[in-house]
Amino acid sequence: MQSAGKLMKVFITRRIPQEGLKILSAAGVCEASQWDSDEPVPRAELLKGIQGAHGLLCLLSDKIDAEVLEAAGPNLKVISTLSVGFDHLAIDEIKKRGIRVGYTPDVLTDATAELTVALLLATARRLPEGVEEVKNGGWSSWKPLWLCGYGLSGSTVGVIGLGRIGMAIAQRLMPFGVKRLLYSGRTAKPHAAEVNGEFVPLDTLVSESDFIVVSCSLTPETQGLCDKSFFSKMKPTAVFINTSRGAVVNQEHLYEALSSGQIAAAGLDVTTPEPLPTNHQLLTLKNCVVLPHIGSATYSTRGVMSALAARNLLGGLQGTDMPSELTL
Ligand code: NDP
Ligand code: DGY
């Protein structure tokens, strides 16, 4: 671990792109200590590293709860997370202590929407299976009935959570010839008109969609939303995609739905837990494509996220505006 010095003390929980570190060091207002590794900071090191810190730059894999806030003590002014999702932060505890929170919306929307489209197409057109067959000699000839999947043209797509990313996904899917775009959430969205989006009850979305894309935030309301009853209402030919958070899905129920043929296929960029154990039952299924939470993983996006997280941190340390402050 690198050592911290004077000035305001900041703890960074992981190795992050240089863009953010350069901004912090150029500002000259804080001295950072960092868990200088690509792997998560062990809890004990987090509790030690944060002691007396004025600022914390953390990741979605760091659970920031009352214990961490207590360990930090009264200096802590700001938590800047290198993510748009903030379900890993105990917001009530943070708010109670008057700590400000910065996050990284917008800058990762395009990258995450692109990845979601890639995952949808890979799952629906069975790309991982096809690649595997080429390698293992299963490709014997062009066969009319082999490796057929489902296409977007003329289909109905249902987006659960037409927020920034959900909307960007819809905009990218419409040019594939999607016939109807349904969406559900807490409120109808005026911007849905751009994609001819129809605001419908969740049950309607689930039963009428050929492709269901989950892009909502994880909240107590969305936790376990996609369960046995949800999957039982889907068409047997429908494809399920989740790039939001793993906990929105009941994975045991998803496994049953996929293995029994109740639904056609699933593509997941997020799971519970992360990483998903290599012996997990979902990984035994050909009709389930699992990615290692890479929605925002382009070089440029991660660089911009790092810079934004650093600017948010500085705003919180200096008591000035943050470029992206979460309203608590
Ligand atoms: P937004 O806040 O813009 O969108 C979240 C959406 O979730 C809103 O439209 C909201 O709808 C919806 N929502 C909230 N509660 C419900 C509910 N009960 N039912 C249905 N929809 C609901 O966030 P972003 O689009 O920027 O990000 C969304 C999420 O994507 C993040 O929270 C994060 O978890 C995940 N993410 C994953 C990435 C990856 O790498 N796979 C990368 C980036 C983000 P309403 O306004 O109607 O409540
Ligand atoms: C987020 O930002 O919430 C993603 O899950 C990772 O970019």
Side-chain angles (χ1 to χ4, degrees):
M1 195 159 95
Q2 292 168 359
S3 66
K6 303 172 210 151
L7 304 171
M8 280 191 275
K9 187 185 165 190
V10 159
F11 185 64
I12 304 174
T13 63
R14 195 79 66 89
R15 194 173 286 161
I16 59 168
Q18 282 302 314
E19 284 87 335
L21 298 177
K22 280 186 192 153
I23 289 168
L24 289 183
S25 101
V29 298
C30 60
E31 198 151 59
S33 56
Q34 180 178 22
W35 183 252
D36 191 16
S37 164
D38 285 329
E39 299 306 324
V41 59
R43 184 80 177 171
E45 294 292 339
L46 170 60
L47 294 173
K48 196 165 83 187
I50 197 164
Q51 278 172 28
H54 300 87
L56 172 68
L57 199 159
C58 68
L59 271 59
L60 58 91
S61 46
D62 305 313
K63 191 173 161 50
I64 307 302
D65 56 13
E67 186 188 23
V68 174
L69 301 174
E70 284 306 310
N75 284 349
L76 192 64
K77 296 167 187 280
V78 55
I79 296 170
S80 172
T81 183
L82 189 85
S83 62
V84 65
F86 50 87
D87 49 280
H88 54 299
L89 307 178
I91 295 297
D92 288 350
E93 296 289 337
I94 291 170
K95 193 174 172 181
K96 210 161 75 183
R97 290 166 172 81
I99 297 166
R100 294 167 71 192
V101 174
Y103 69 143
T104 63
D106 301 313
V107 296
L108 44 58
T109 295
D110 288 348
T112 308
E114 273 176 23
L115 187 280
T116 306
V117 173
L119 178 58
L120 185 150
L121 292 171
T123 305
R125 296 297 303 272
R126 304 171 62 178
L127 301 193
E129 271 185 87
V131 169
E132 191 49 37
E133 293 291 356
V134 173
K135 289 184 183 166
N136 68 19
W139 181 18
S140 59
S141 160
W142 187 90
K143 294 180 262 190
L145 299 178
W146 191 51
L147 279 178
C148 294
Y150 299 93
L152 278 161
S153 182
S155 71
T156 296
V157 170
V159 178
I160 300 180
L162 198 73
R164 288 172 291 250
I165 294 171
M167 184 64 189
I169 295 167
Q171 285 166 331
R172 283 158 177 75
L173 290 180
M174 292 312 280
F176 282 92
V178 169
K179 195 164 148 201
R180 291 177 72 204
L181 192 290
L182 313 180
Y183 73 100
S184 69
R186 288 174 296 193
T187 54
K189 305 280 177 245
H191 60 240
E194 278 174 52
V195 289
N196 292 326
E198 302 168 39
F199 185 54
V200 294
L202 183 64
D203 276 0
T204 308
L205 181 149
V206 174
S207 60
E208 294 186 8
S209 296
D210 299 302
F211 298 89
I212 295 180
V213 180
V214 184
S215 56
C216 59
S217 34
L218 174 61
T219 66
E221 223 181 294
T222 60
Q223 175 138 15
L225 181 78
C226 306
D227 61 1
K228 196 180 178 70
S229 143
F230 178 103
F231 295 121
S232 72
K233 291 172 198 140
M234 281 176 66
K235 297 181 186 181
T237 52
V239 173
F240 175 82
I241 303 296
N242 181 19
T243 52
S244 67
R245 284 291 182 266
V248 173
V249 175
N250 181 316
Q251 289 177 173
E252 280 183 19
H253 295 175
L254 174 63
Y255 175 81
E256 283 159 25
L258 286 167
S259 56
S260 65
Q262 191 165 54
I263 71 171
L268 314 172
D269 183 43
V270 285
T271 58
T272 315
E274 293 183 1
L276 195 64
T278 52
N279 63 355
H280 194 279
Q281 56 183 1
L282 280 174
L283 299 179
T284 64
L285 299 173
K286 284 191 171 174
N287 58 348
C288 187
V289 178
V290 182
L291 299 179
H293 201 150
I294 52 171
S296 64
T298 70
Y299 293 109
S300 65
T301 299
R302 289 285 166 81
V304 177
M305 286 168 69
S306 177
L308 178 54
R311 291 198 182 95
N312 284 336
L313 190 73
L314 288 174
L317 290 175
Q318 296 173 299
T320 55
D321 283 351
M322 288 185 199
S324 290
E325 180 164 7
L326 187 67
T327 309
L328 300 181

